[in-house]
């Protein structure tokens, strides 16, 4: 725990958001705008975080009070065949940003993943549980966490799972697209996680920062489900007549192995936030409602 930052006194010092244009960074920018906070959003075209000299040259000029690293190689299957690129962004890039953040006196807020775990635990994973990634994406993100921890004393690492929201490809939009073209779908029922709306997550991480949270936290919408249960809820809320068949992971092999249990325990974050984020079903309804607005 650290002392909560003085937002008014630091008004002229912006929050820098990396990964602009991505699903999560878009939600973070929206949340900052709603709070009336000064920010600078940088896309991968604006800044290649794998080149430390460029990171330093750009961020030093902005003098941010915090850097939110939402830049990532997020193609889980693609990481298996693009190991160097994925590792460069998810691990080395995170370390570059952390070292520069430390040098300019900025808090490093780093977004990580449930995929740092192997999925063999019976219950929900706490931030203190042992990590053991089973795919290259998870391994890169875990190394990124370690580099952030070692490089930036003033850091906030937040793990989440099964993100959905506007401005990016996700399970909800994929199901809606497939469901509009097919009468029946087969969906995996032996992998469980916590669907999380980017809007709620973004608001949560900003509040954690405001309240002085430091270290590693888990943050997801409340509740958990399987992909099969998630799909059925999507079609039910949208009023689509799509038959969903539950299948085991073995019937849908992918290049990257997935943990069977991705459920995260967010109680440490919830204690600081004053309660859990909304239930995932409620969050889904909000997203679908926003999705249908003109």
């Amino acid at each position: 725990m650290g002392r909560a930052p003085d937002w008014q006194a630091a008004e002229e010092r912006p929050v820098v958001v990396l990964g602009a244009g991505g699903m999560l960074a878009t939600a973070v920018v929206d949340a900052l705008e709603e709070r009336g906070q000064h920010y600078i959003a940088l896309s991968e075209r604006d800044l290649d975080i794998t080149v430390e000299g460029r990171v330093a040259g750009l961020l030093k000029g902005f003098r941010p009070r915090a850097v939110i690293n939402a830049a990532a190689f997020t193609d889980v299957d693609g990481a298996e065949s693009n190991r160097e690129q994925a590792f460069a962004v998810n691990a080395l890039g995170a370390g570059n940003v952390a070292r520069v953040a430390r040098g300019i006196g900025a808090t490093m807020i780093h977004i990580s993943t449930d995929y740092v775990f192997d999925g063999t635990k019976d219950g929900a994973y706490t931030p203190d549980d042992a990590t053991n990634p089973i795919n290259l994406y998870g391994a890169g993100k875990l190394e990124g966490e370690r580099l952030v921890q070692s490089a930036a004393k003033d850091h906030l690492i937040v793990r989440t799972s099964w993100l959905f929201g506007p401005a990016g490809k996700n399970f909800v939009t994929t199901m809606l697209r497939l469901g509009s073209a097919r009468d029946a779908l087969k969906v995996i029922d032996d992998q469980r996680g916590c669907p999380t709306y980017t809007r709620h997550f973004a608001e949560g991480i900003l509040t954690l920062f405001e309240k002085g949270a430091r270290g590693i936290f888990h943050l997801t919408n409340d509740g958990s489900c399987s992909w099969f249960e998630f799909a059925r809820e999507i079609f039910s809320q949208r009023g689509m007549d799509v038959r969903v068949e539950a299948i085991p992971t073995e019937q849908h092999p992918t290049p990257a192995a997935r943990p069977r249990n991705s459920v995260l325990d967010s109680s440490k974050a919830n204690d600081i936030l004053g309660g859990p984020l909304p239930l995932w079903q409620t969050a889904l309804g909000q997203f679908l409602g926003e999705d249908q607005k003109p």
Side-chain angles (χ1 to χ4, degrees), residues 68-100:
I68 301 177
N69 183 30
F73 186 103
T74 58
D75 183 351
V76 177
D77 288 325
E80 298 294 312
S81 55
N82 295 277
R83 179 173 185 171
E84 289 189 8
Q85 181 183 359
F87 191 83
V89 176
N90 294 339
L92 302 181
N96 290 340
V97 176
R99 282 188 293 275
V100 173

XYZ file of all heavy atoms in Angstrom, residues 68-100:
233
model
N -0.110 3.760 -17.717
C -0.943 2.554 -17.735
C -0.556 1.745 -18.966
O -0.795 2.161 -20.104
C -2.441 2.907 -17.766
C -2.805 3.746 -16.539
C -3.288 1.632 -17.815
C -4.254 4.208 -16.521
N 0.046 0.588 -18.730
C 0.517 -0.236 -19.834
C -0.558 -1.241 -20.253
O -0.655 -2.343 -19.717
C 1.802 -0.979 -19.467
C 2.331 -1.778 -20.641
O 2.141 -1.401 -21.795
N 2.988 -2.885 -20.363
N -1.374 -0.817 -21.233
C -2.377 -1.711 -21.817
C -1.911 -2.207 -23.176
O -2.689 -2.818 -23.913
C -3.717 -0.988 -21.944
N -0.648 -1.942 -23.516
C -0.082 -2.436 -24.769
C 0.318 -3.894 -24.585
O 0.982 -4.237 -23.601
C 1.136 -1.608 -25.169
N -0.087 -4.747 -25.501
C 0.227 -6.168 -25.355
C 0.062 -6.898 -26.683
O -0.699 -6.461 -27.553
C -0.676 -6.816 -24.307
N 0.793 -7.990 -26.808
C 0.559 -8.952 -27.884
C -0.504 -9.889 -27.349
O -0.240 -10.742 -26.511
C 1.855 -9.715 -28.199
C 1.771 -10.626 -29.393
C 2.337 -10.246 -30.604
C 1.139 -11.855 -29.308
C 2.279 -11.092 -31.712
C 1.064 -12.698 -30.402
C 1.637 -12.315 -31.614
N -1.755 -9.730 -27.795
C -2.889 -10.415 -27.169
C -3.365 -11.660 -27.908
O -4.300 -12.322 -27.455
C -4.082 -9.453 -27.030
O -4.430 -8.948 -28.330
C -3.729 -8.296 -26.112
N -2.741 -11.985 -29.040
C -3.119 -13.173 -29.800
C -2.520 -14.400 -29.119
O -1.348 -14.733 -29.332
C -2.626 -13.043 -31.238
C -3.050 -14.209 -32.123
O -3.583 -15.207 -31.598
O -2.828 -14.131 -33.349
N -3.316 -15.064 -28.290
C -2.818 -16.179 -27.486
C -2.290 -17.302 -28.367
O -1.192 -17.839 -28.134
C -3.921 -16.698 -26.546
C -3.434 -17.903 -25.751
C -4.371 -15.598 -25.595
N -3.035 -17.673 -29.381
C -2.575 -18.733 -30.284
C -1.407 -18.252 -31.144
O -0.456 -18.996 -31.402
C -3.720 -19.218 -31.175
C -4.751 -20.029 -30.404
O -4.359 -20.760 -29.472
O -5.948 -19.935 -30.723
N -1.467 -17.012 -31.593
C -0.403 -16.459 -32.412
C 0.926 -16.387 -31.693
O 1.992 -16.449 -32.324
N 0.893 -16.265 -30.364
C 2.136 -16.208 -29.594
C 2.930 -17.501 -29.713
O 4.159 -17.491 -29.587
C 1.823 -15.917 -28.127
N 2.242 -18.607 -29.958
C 2.933 -19.888 -30.078
C 3.861 -19.924 -31.288
O 4.909 -20.575 -31.256
C 1.909 -21.035 -30.169
C 1.027 -21.185 -28.956
C 1.799 -21.605 -27.708
O 2.592 -22.564 -27.798
O 1.600 -20.971 -26.648
N 3.487 -19.233 -32.351
C 4.304 -19.220 -33.570
C 5.063 -17.909 -33.759
O 5.849 -17.774 -34.693
C 3.425 -19.485 -34.800
O 2.349 -18.568 -34.868
N 4.815 -16.940 -32.871
C 5.514 -15.644 -32.916
C 6.101 -15.344 -31.547
O 5.881 -14.272 -30.981
C 4.556 -14.533 -33.338
C 4.046 -14.695 -34.751
O 4.702 -14.313 -35.709
N 2.855 -15.272 -34.875
N 6.861 -16.294 -31.051
C 7.348 -16.206 -29.675
C 8.192 -14.957 -29.435
O 8.004 -14.267 -28.438
C 8.170 -17.455 -29.347
C 8.743 -17.447 -27.936
C 9.409 -18.750 -27.589
N 9.848 -18.765 -26.203
C 10.308 -19.852 -25.576
N 10.372 -20.990 -26.233
N 10.683 -19.793 -24.320
N 9.116 -14.674 -30.334
C 10.007 -13.535 -30.119
C 9.239 -12.223 -30.072
O 9.491 -11.375 -29.211
C 11.079 -13.493 -31.206
C 12.122 -14.596 -31.087
C 13.271 -14.391 -32.053
O 13.332 -13.332 -32.702
O 14.120 -15.303 -32.163
N 8.294 -12.052 -31.003
C 7.520 -10.814 -31.030
C 6.652 -10.684 -29.785
O 6.577 -9.622 -29.162
C 6.656 -10.751 -32.282
C 5.841 -9.467 -32.401
C 4.926 -9.463 -33.612
O 4.906 -10.410 -34.398
N 4.165 -8.395 -33.771
N 5.977 -11.773 -29.416
C 5.102 -11.741 -28.246
C 5.905 -11.460 -26.982
O 5.491 -10.652 -26.127
C 4.358 -13.066 -28.117
N 7.064 -12.095 -26.841
C 7.900 -11.900 -25.657
C 8.462 -10.485 -25.622
O 8.546 -9.866 -24.558
C 9.033 -12.928 -25.651
C 9.786 -12.995 -24.349
C 9.304 -13.741 -23.290
C 10.974 -12.303 -24.183
C 9.988 -13.806 -22.083
C 11.669 -12.356 -22.983
C 11.180 -13.115 -21.934
N 8.817 -9.968 -26.794
C 9.377 -8.617 -26.861
C 8.375 -7.586 -26.338
O 8.742 -6.656 -25.614
C 9.782 -8.282 -28.287
N 7.104 -7.743 -26.697
C 6.082 -6.785 -26.264
C 5.639 -7.048 -24.824
O 5.656 -6.148 -23.977
C 4.859 -6.831 -27.205
C 3.759 -5.904 -26.697
C 5.261 -6.454 -28.629
N 5.243 -8.304 -24.552
C 4.626 -8.620 -23.263
C 5.603 -8.655 -22.098
O 5.214 -8.398 -20.949
C 3.893 -9.956 -23.357
C 2.702 -9.904 -24.288
O 2.176 -8.825 -24.570
N 2.268 -11.051 -24.789
N 6.863 -8.963 -22.374
C 7.851 -9.043 -21.304
C 8.843 -7.890 -21.372
O 8.846 -7.004 -20.514
C 8.584 -10.386 -21.371
N 9.667 -7.869 -22.406
C 10.718 -6.857 -22.493
C 10.145 -5.452 -22.579
O 10.671 -4.514 -21.959
C 11.610 -7.148 -23.698
C 12.292 -8.522 -23.713
C 13.161 -8.671 -24.950
C 13.114 -8.731 -22.447
N 9.070 -5.287 -23.347
C 8.444 -3.969 -23.461
C 7.928 -3.471 -22.137
O 8.092 -2.292 -21.785
N 7.305 -4.357 -21.377
C 6.808 -3.969 -20.053
C 7.956 -3.541 -19.154
O 7.852 -2.568 -18.400
C 6.042 -5.131 -19.431
N 9.072 -4.262 -19.232
C 10.237 -3.895 -18.446
C 10.802 -2.544 -18.843
O 11.202 -1.752 -17.981
N 10.822 -2.278 -20.145
C 11.297 -0.971 -20.625
C 10.468 0.165 -20.035
O 11.004 1.164 -19.550
C 11.225 -0.913 -22.151
C 12.248 -1.797 -22.828
O 13.247 -2.184 -22.228
N 12.002 -2.129 -24.086
N 9.156 0.006 -20.109
C 8.260 1.050 -19.603
C 8.446 1.230 -18.097
O 8.474 2.355 -17.580
C 6.792 0.714 -19.936
C 5.857 1.755 -19.307
C 6.580 0.658 -21.443
N 8.602 0.127 -17.381
C 8.766 0.188 -15.928
C 10.039 0.935 -15.543
O 10.039 1.741 -14.606
C 8.775 -1.216 -15.340
N 11.137 0.667 -16.229
C 12.396 1.351 -15.905
C 12.287 2.854 -16.160
O 12.763 3.665 -15.356
C 13.538 0.750 -16.716
C 14.050 -0.579 -16.168
C 15.306 -1.028 -16.878
N 15.048 -1.368 -18.271
C 14.614 -2.548 -18.689
N 14.391 -3.509 -17.804
N 14.411 -2.789 -19.970
N 11.656 3.210 -17.268
C 11.496 4.634 -17.571
C 10.559 5.281 -16.556
O 10.816 6.392 -16.079
C 10.976 4.829 -19.006
C 10.655 6.297 -19.265
C 12.002 4.327 -20.021
